């Protein structure tokens, strides 16, 4: 709570905490997310989301259901789920298979009326094809660790139907980027896309 209060005082207004990890062959609910999210609310954050790093080799519907069941069991309060799409596992499948995976994953969140955001990069086209725009209605957050809080770099190569991004992860967790005694990834946005 002290660390999160410090971050709030430093100027952070929104936090996203990992709750589903791409490990153990099927994905896994990370129980530390329960206290992390609770502490963020206790520290005074007005907006707190969670993120899911889905395991590509596991069935998407099962992963989402298990994530949501755990969030319910542990009474985790959150605004939206950020879906983290990165890594090389996707290239082991066809673009059609990857598109089907994403659509099945989304269908569960949609059926539960849960807001989503997407965290991904330009490998979207490689994984899904340049005509797969079924997620372009959701906020996009991308990473480019150039330490520049600006979308100047996205406008050169838009993908997935997103004509503009909603957020940028511009600073990653390395030694000289520690604030409040913790290393973390910094995101920037000119709009409050997290106000669901």
């Amino acid at each position: 709570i002290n660390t999160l209060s410090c971050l709030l005082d430093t100027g952070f207004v929104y936090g996203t905490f990992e709750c589903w990890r791409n490990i153990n062959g099927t994905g896994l609910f990370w129980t530390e997310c329960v206290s992390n999210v609770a502490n963020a609310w206790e520290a005074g954050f007005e907006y707190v989301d969670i993120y899911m790093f889905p395991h590509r080799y596991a069935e998407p519907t099962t992963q989402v259901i298990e994530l949501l069941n755990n969030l319910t069991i542990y009474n985790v309060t959150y605004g939206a789920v950020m879906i983290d799409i990165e890594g090389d596992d996707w290239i082991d499948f066809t673009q059609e298979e990857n598109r089907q995976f994403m659509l099945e994953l989304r269908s569960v969140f949609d059926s539960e009326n849960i807001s989503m955001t997407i965290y991904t990069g330009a490998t979207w086209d490689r994984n899904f094809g340049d005509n797969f725009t079924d997620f372009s209605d959701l906020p996009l957050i991308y990473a480019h660790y150039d330490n520049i809080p600006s979308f100047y770099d996205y406008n050169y190569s838009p993908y997935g139907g997103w004509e503009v991004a909603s957020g940028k992860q511009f600073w990653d967790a390395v030694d000289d980027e520690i604030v409040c005694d913790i290393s973390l990834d910094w995101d920037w946005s000119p709009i409050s896309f997290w106000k669901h």
Side-chain angles (χ1 to χ4, degrees), residues 64-76:
V64 176
I65 290 172
E66 187 172 342
L67 168 65
L68 296 179
N69 284 345
N70 275 284
L71 294 170
T72 299
I73 290 168
Y74 290 106
N75 296 310
V76 178

Side-chain angles (χ1 to χ4, degrees), residues 3-46:
T3 299
L4 288 159
S5 295
C6 175
L7 291 172
L8 196 65
D9 292 341
T10 304
F12 289 88
V13 297
Y14 161 65
T16 304
F17 297 88
E18 184 176 24
C19 289
W20 188 265
R21 295 188 142 186
N22 181 351
I23 56 175
N24 287 357
T26 59
L28 180 71
F29 182 75
W30 194 40
T31 55
E32 278 192 42
C33 103
V34 177
S35 59
N36 289 339
V37 172
N39 289 345
W41 291 120
E42 181 69 20
F45 275 79
E46 289 187 58

Side-chain angles (χ1 to χ4, degrees), residues 127-172:
N127 296 332
F128 305 105
D130 59 9
N131 62 346
F132 185 60
T133 60
D134 293 55
F135 289 76
S136 61
D137 60 313
L138 303 178
L140 167 70
I141 297 85
Y142 71 102
H144 181 195
Y145 302 125
D146 58 0
N147 296 349
I148 301 173
S150 165
F151 292 153
Y152 79 93
D153 49 342
Y154 181 78
N155 293 332
Y156 293 116
S157 55
Y159 49 87
W162 289 286
E163 294 184 9
V164 65
S166 294
K168 174 182 176 180
Q169 192 166 102
F170 69 98
W171 218 357
D172 66 345

Side-chain angles (χ1 to χ4, degrees), residues 71-93:
L71 294 170
T72 299
I73 290 168
Y74 290 106
N75 296 310
V76 178
T77 302
Y78 57 96
V81 177
M82 181 182 290
I83 307 301
D84 187 346
I85 305 300
E86 59 181 315
D88 292 331
D89 290 350
W90 299 88
I91 62 176
D92 292 337
F93 300 85

